[in-house]
Each structure stands twice: as C-alpha cells, then as structure tokens.
Amino acid sequence: MSKKTVADLSASDLSGKRVLVRVDFNVPLDNGSITDDTRIRAALPTIQDLTSKGAKVILTSHFGRPKGIDESLRLTPVAARLSELLGKAVIKCDDCIGEEVAQAVAEMQNGDVALLENVRFYAEEEDNDPEFAKKLASVADLYVNDAFGTAHRAHASTEGVTHYLPSVAGYLIEKELQFLQGAIEEPKRPLAAIVGGSKVSSKIGVIEALLDKCDKLLLGGGMIFTFYKARGLNVGKSLVEDDKLELARELEAKAKEKGVTFLLPTDVIIADNFAADANAETVSINDIPDGWMGLDIGPDSIKVFQEALGDCKTVIWNGPMGVFEFEKFAAGTKAIALTLADLTKTGTITIIGGGDSVAAVEQLNLGEQMSHISTGGGASLELLEGKVLPGIAALNDK
C-alpha cells in the first residue's frame, strides 16, 4: 500500500502522543440498543495497537443524519459497547470540539481511549469547513483514518483534518484497500463479479469498470429486468428503468466485445404483488406473464451461477439477487452466500462489497467464512469503479 499506515509507527513514535482516530461507528440502534456492532469490532485492531504503544486515543465518528444536536443520535451507547469490547472504561465527551474536549484530553493517561460526540451535530463537518477541521485537529499530534465507510466523502473529519496533522491509515482501511484494490488491480483469475440490487442506474459505474477487469459478470436483483426488456422480452410489472434500455444493450455488447462471460438469470421467481405473502411461481425468463413481477432468481439460475463460479479464484459480490428481506424471495441471495462460503474453503478469495449483500451474509452468520467483508457501501463501490477516495488520497504517502 502506498499510504503510510499505523503499522509503520513504532512505540517510540506513539508513546504519549495524542492520536485523533476517525472511525465509523454509525451502527444500527433499536430502542437505544446496538443491534449490530460489526463496525465497532472492525476498529478494534487499530485502537488496541495504538493504546498498546502508549498513545492517547481520541475517537471521532458520525452517527446517523442529524440536523443539529439530536439527543437520540448521541454516541453514548457506542461508548458503553466499546468499553465492554476493550475491557476498560472509555471516556465519553459530550462535544467533539471546544473547551470540554481540550480538558478531557489534557487529563488522559497513556493508553486511555476517549470518544468524542457525534461530529455531524455540526453542519461544518459535511461542509468540510477549514476552521472546524482545525478545531478538531487542535487536540491531537497525529491523525489516523480508519473509517473506510466515509472515505469517499471529503468531510472535515475525513479530509479537512489532514491539512493540520501528519495523517496515516488504520488497519481497517489498509485491509479494505488490500482486498478491494488487489482484486481489481492484481486479481487471481478467473475473476468473477456478481452484481445485484434493484437498479442499473446505481451500479452503472461499477458494471462498466468491472467489464474492463473481470472474466465473468453475473447479474441478479431487480436490475435484470431492464436487461430483459432491452432484449425485447416481456417483464410484466417487474421493476424497469426505461431510460436505461439503450445502456443495457451497450453493456451487453461491451461484454461480448471484451470476451467477458455475461450471465443473466435463466428463470425467476415471480409474485402477483410486492409483499412477503404474495403468491409466487417459478417461470422461465421468456414466460413472465402480464401483471406479475420478478422478485428473485430461480433454481435453474442458481445452478448456472454456481457452475460459472466453480473455477473462479477471485469473486466480488455487491448486491442481493432478490428481495431477500421477504423469506419467500431470499433463496437466490442465500444460495450465492453459501456458494461463496464453500468456495472460500477451497482457496477462492471472496469479497463481499458492502451494502445489502453484507447484511445478507451477516444474517446467515457466514461473515467469518468469507475472505473479506467490506465495511463501506458507497466507498467500496467507488473504489471498485476506480474512483479516488478523498479520505484516503489525503493521507501521507509512505
């Protein structure tokens, strides 16, 4: 990796130093309780390495989308969970800048951890306001970015602070780049990409970028119906982006021109309406009746996809195969997740690229069985597209 990381810093570099660490603690809450602490656990290697080397660790994160101070979006439950995971008390500040923060940091001992309040309580954070960034940076000697999920945003706590402090990457960002960039730039082949989700428009960039890199491209989710309609097939009431039909034809033509195996499902599970208890049937893609909509890939498609993935050495998966929130239409997504877990055991590098595919894998308790689960939805997509992520570009080079 071309960027300097925490691994490049010794105990003598860090002992007694105040280190501002941007983490992504934007975790789901239900009645004040954290329902998934994956993002908190993902930050532990960086936090523990810094504290073990005698640093004073000052954590900053956003939480939700507040407009000003919102009592329901304070990071207090996160501080409590982090204390449990670290096995020691975490100092919780009720602000992220100002006198209270300066005082709390001044009283910190080597190896202590403090968590600042939700940085998005200030509009200046998303505006990347230089004065606000300067205030954030003022309590620290060094900056570490370990929030991959927000690395595609040029905010005060991700890009602004780098103008005032020496800045390096944390272990999580290092791992994300190693897997996601590695899969694209130097993949073990054959490289397959599985792209799902409801709309072609949200995945255009990633599909186009992957067509230049991969050997096989498998498509699922609602976006497939735009491709079917572009081929002249009847899709009933299925989700279609009519303004993307020409693009769908172009993407298929590009795949053919580049010699990329381009696979669309051969059969689909259709429903008479969009509901968990809808009537469902399995039909060939040539036989979708009027008034029905496709909500998952069918059993024959699963077999075709499994066969195509069988010899692959690297697989990137971004986006579910169907409406997996409804049990009746979750079979395609489950089958892909189980297939990838099996492939990982035989040495295939499996990368789950953020968003709903991660949620599906975690629901099935298969996260530990994949090579890498990305913590960034939008960030992982932009990295796969080959875009520059401001939060990473701003860090010091080795």
Side-chain angles (χ1 to χ4, degrees):
M1 180 172 153
S2 63
K3 293 294 176 185
K4 204 167 182 182
T5 75
V6 168
D8 298 314
L9 304 173
S10 66
S12 60
D13 294 326
L14 290 166
S15 182
K17 292 290 194 298
R18 302 164 303 163
V19 184
L20 180 68
V21 184
R22 177 55 157 101
V23 286
D24 182 2
F25 286 167
N26 189 28
V27 294
L29 273 191
D30 185 23
N31 290 326
S33 296
I34 295 166
T35 55
D36 180 1
D37 66 359
T38 306
R39 286 180 170 176
I40 303 174
R41 286 184 286 110
L44 294 178
T46 294
I47 297 168
Q48 288 167 328
D49 184 60
L50 291 169
T51 56
S52 72
K53 290 173 180 170
K56 301 168 183 179
V57 178
I58 307 150
L59 304 170
T60 182
S61 177
H62 74 288
F63 193 42
R65 297 181 179 277
K67 297 287 176 241
I69 294 172
D70 182 334
E71 293 301 325
S72 69
L73 292 175
R74 287 194 177 275
L75 283 161
T76 311
V78 174
R81 180 62 186 137
L82 182 60
S83 295
E84 288 170 10
L85 291 167
L86 290 173
K88 64 178 182 182
V90 169
I91 301 153
K92 169 67 176 53
C93 298
D94 291 330
D95 207 335
C96 62
I97 57 170
E99 196 50 50
E100 183 206 334
V101 173
Q103 184 64 37
V105 171
E107 292 170 7
M108 288 175 78
Q109 303 297 310
N110 292 4
D112 278 355
V113 178
L115 176 62
L116 306 183
E117 191 50 272
N118 190 345
V119 73
R120 283 195 190 163
F121 281 176
Y122 290 86
E124 293 92 330
E125 155 69 354
E126 292 184 84
D127 294 339
N128 197 5
D129 180 82
E131 280 307 308
F132 179 71
K134 196 174 183 178
K135 287 174 187 172
L136 271 177
S138 67
V139 293
D141 306 302
L142 173 74
Y143 171 72
V144 175
N145 192 349
D146 212 25
F148 181 70
T150 57
H152 60 313
R153 310 272 186 225
H155 289 169
S157 67
T158 60
E159 195 276 340
V161 291
T162 66
H163 298 282
Y164 306 102
L165 293 170
S167 303
V168 305
Y171 288 116
L172 178 60
I173 279 191
E174 185 178 21
K175 189 180 176 210
E176 292 275 11
L177 294 179
Q178 179 194 336
F179 276 97
L180 290 165
Q181 274 188 336
I184 291 299
E185 290 168 9
E186 294 172 8
K188 290 185 177 172
R189 294 189 182 276
L191 164 62
I194 310 164
V195 182
S198 55
K199 294 183 172 183
V200 189
S201 55
S202 63
K203 301 284 170 83
I204 294 168
V206 83
I207 292 171
E208 287 185 320
L210 289 168
L211 281 175
D212 288 328
K213 308 284 185 182
C214 66
D215 305 294
K216 303 180 186 187
L217 182 61
L218 289 60
L219 297 187
M223 69 167 71
I224 60 176
F225 301 103
T226 300
F227 285 90
Y228 292 148
K229 190 167 179 182
R231 287 179 176 184
L233 298 176
N234 182 43
V235 296
K237 281 199 305 185
S238 304
L239 180 70
V240 168
E241 290 177 279
D242 285 309
D243 61 334
K244 296 290 180 279
L245 297 176
E246 187 51 43
L247 174 75
R249 285 187 278 268
E250 285 169 14
L251 290 171
E252 276 210 69
K254 185 178 177 182
K256 193 173 182 182
E257 179 193 313
K258 289 184 171 290
V260 176
T261 302
F262 187 93
L263 289 179
L264 283 168
T266 50
D267 61 344
V268 288
I269 314 282
I270 55 169
D272 56 358
N273 69 75
F274 189 84
D277 59 353
N279 294 308
E281 285 180 25
T282 303
V283 298
S284 156
I285 59 162
N286 301 304
D287 300 320
I288 300 172
D290 289 337
W292 288 65
M293 63 184 74
L295 295 185
D296 195 12
I297 64 173
D300 184 62
S301 304
I302 290 169
K303 283 182 196 151
V304 171
F305 281 14
Q306 285 170 331
E307 205 169 286
L309 295 168
D311 67 341
C312 292
K313 296 288 180 255
T314 310
V315 182
I316 300 166
W317 179 24
N318 190 294
M321 297 294 97
V323 185
F324 76 98
E325 300 88 341
F326 297 159
E327 186 57 36
K328 209 178 252 191
F329 307 105
T333 301
K334 281 183 182 175
I336 292 297
L338 289 163
T339 300
L340 295 190
D342 287 340
L343 285 171
T344 314
K345 289 173 195 161
T346 58
T348 300
I349 296 166
T350 52
I351 299 164
I352 316 303
D356 288 335
S357 24
V358 172
V361 166
E362 295 292 0
Q363 257 179 39
L364 295 164
N365 293 317
L366 293 172
E368 297 291 315
Q369 296 179 48
M370 305 298 177
S371 306
H372 181 62
I373 300 266
S374 179
T375 54
S380 60
L381 274 179
E382 291 195 16
L383 197 62
L384 290 173
E385 286 174 40
K387 290 184 178 174
V388 172
L389 307 186
I392 292 169
L395 302 175
N396 298 149
D397 292 324
K398 275 196 193 295

